[in-house]
Amino acid sequence: MDSKQKLLVIIGPTAVGKTKLSIELAKQYNGEIISGDSMQIYRGMDIGTAKIKIEEMEGIPHHLIDIKEPEESFSVAEFQQLVRAKIAEITSKGKLPIIVGGTGLYIQSVIYDYQFSDAPADEKLRLQLEERAMEIGYEALHDELTKIDPESARQIHPNNVRRVIRALEIYHCTGKIMSEHQNNQQPDLLYETALIGLTMEREKLYERINTRVELMVSAGLLEEVSQLHKQGIRDCQSIQAIGYKEIYDYLDGKVSLSEAVENLKQNSRRYAKRQLTWFRNKMGVEWFDLSNALDLSKKITEISHYVEGKLQVKSNT
């Protein structure tokens, strides 16, 4: 049997410092980076998603950035397929694939042997639910899922009606909620994986998040979102992203700009908290604390030793 492909995964909450570390490790281990962020796939959404700039890449190839238009939808299953193909492609060049991101469910779907469709199906029920979605609207159907399975509802966008229906169908067919069905699977790791998690003292992380939001605003976030707003792009997956929905509220006259910015900071902090909870509960992560900035080079050395031991790779430096 073929040995498993090697894979380095760097996860952690927003603003913790994943990008900088990923570049260092990619240089060290001849790596190429795959974005594990469900929003950096969208073109024209650069500032609000904290997308890496060309000059910051330092010549390291990056994949799965700018591959969709903002009005297009994107599913976990599609992400799983694209990333697995990229891992094979990068490995075939003799390079190390490195997934970097904060969208837990997406990354989990790639590295574990999850089956998205192995629960029983009921075609008749599915058609009834599709009709119901048309009658009562996507939001109302999503609310029904929230009452039954809040964890799945948090992960599925209301407009992704196919996934909402699938989650309801699984519950009706099995009496088990979809998140429980997935939790009960004992998935195998498909790759020889080093799974690194970056964390930081909460106060320090929240301070960084607030600063990042202020930098986004001064870098032109309002102009970026206004462009999408002027094009009439709304009610789609991309605009529900943190950084976009808050500014849309301002552009729609619902809140003042200062309120929108405060909401953006608060939603980003809450999201970071949810990310950490997800990673801690769902994945076998080796955690590294980046609270002490003076200690960073020492921390990178520590992480490098872990990667070399876990993946049996040698550093170029």
Side-chain angles (χ1 to χ4, degrees), residues 244-256 260 263:
Y244 294 85
K245 59 182 177 186
E246 295 84 1
I247 303 296
Y248 260 58
D249 283 347
Y250 161 67
L251 295 169
D252 289 339
K254 293 177 185 172
V255 295
S256 69
N263 291 342

Side-chain angles (χ1 to χ4, degrees), residues 227-243:
Q227 279 298 110
L228 299 166
H229 193 266
K230 276 181 201 150
Q231 290 167 39
I233 296 167
R234 53 172 65 240
D235 301 326
C236 52
Q237 209 173 328
S238 61
I239 301 306
Q240 296 305 313
I242 296 168

Side-chain angles (χ1 to χ4, degrees), residues 66-112:
D66 295 337
I67 61 166
K68 290 266 182 186
E69 295 302 331
E71 50 277 43
E72 291 183 89
S73 65
F74 192 58
S75 69
V76 184
E78 190 179 350
F79 179 82
Q80 183 191 64
Q81 190 183 0
L82 287 171
V83 175
R84 286 180 179 173
K86 278 290 169 202
I87 290 169
E89 181 193 310
I90 294 165
T91 305
S92 73
K93 292 190 279 189
K95 295 193 162 193
L96 179 66
I98 304 172
I99 300 179
V100 183
T103 311
L105 179 69
Y106 279 57
I107 294 170
Q108 190 183 21
S109 77
V110 170
I111 64 176
Y112 292 104

Side-chain angles (χ1 to χ4, degrees), residues 150-313:
E151 189 181 338
S152 293
R154 271 198 303 274
Q155 295 295 333
I156 302 169
H157 188 270
N159 287 347
N160 193 346
V161 72
R162 193 172 55 82
R163 290 277 292 160
V164 172
I165 286 172
R166 181 67 183 131
L168 289 166
E169 183 188 17
I170 286 171
Y171 175 69
H172 287 294
C173 289
T174 65
K176 285 183 182 174
I177 56 177
M178 186 162 85
S179 52
E180 188 187 345
H181 186 79
Q182 287 178 341
N183 292 344
N184 287 343
Q185 289 188 40
Q186 293 297 318
D188 294 324
L189 270 171
L190 290 177
Y191 304 97
E192 196 180 319
T193 310
L195 189 49
I196 289 167
L198 304 182
T199 184
M200 191 174 275
E201 289 161 14
R202 185 168 291 182
E203 286 310 307
K204 200 161 274 192
L205 180 65
Y206 286 179
E207 205 177 287
R208 280 175 66 111
I209 289 170
N210 291 342
T211 304
R212 175 185 270 195
V213 169
E214 283 158 19
L215 288 171
M216 283 176 174
V217 173
S218 60
L221 179 64
L222 183 57
E223 291 77 4
E224 177 174 280
V225 182
S226 295
Q227 279 298 110
L228 299 166
H229 193 266
K230 276 181 201 150
Q231 290 167 39
I233 296 167
R234 53 172 65 240
D235 301 326
C236 52
Q237 209 173 328
S238 61
I239 301 306
Q240 296 305 313
I242 296 168
Y244 294 85
K245 59 182 177 186
E246 295 84 1
I247 303 296
Y248 260 58
D249 283 347
Y250 161 67
L251 295 169
D252 289 339
K254 293 177 185 172
V255 295
S256 69
L257 182 57
S258 61
E259 281 174 311
V261 171
E262 276 314 304
N263 291 342
L264 173 46
K265 287 178 180 177
Q266 186 182 54
N267 289 337
S268 299
R269 293 192 301 267
R270 284 176 176 162
Y271 178 58
K273 192 179 170 188
R274 288 200 304 275
Q275 283 176 303
L276 280 167
T277 305
W278 170 273
F279 294 138
R280 291 207 166 105
N281 292 341
K282 297 279 183 186
M283 297 159 104
V285 180
E286 188 73 22
W287 289 99
F288 295 90
D289 193 311
L290 299 188
S291 300
N292 187 351
L294 300 171
D295 199 24
L296 196 60
S297 61
K298 198 172 150 191
K299 195 59 73 174
I300 290 172
T301 305
E302 196 185 315
I303 292 169
S304 300
H305 285 156
Y306 173 74
V307 171
E308 286 167 29
K310 190 81 178 165
L311 296 180
Q312 302 300 303
V313 288

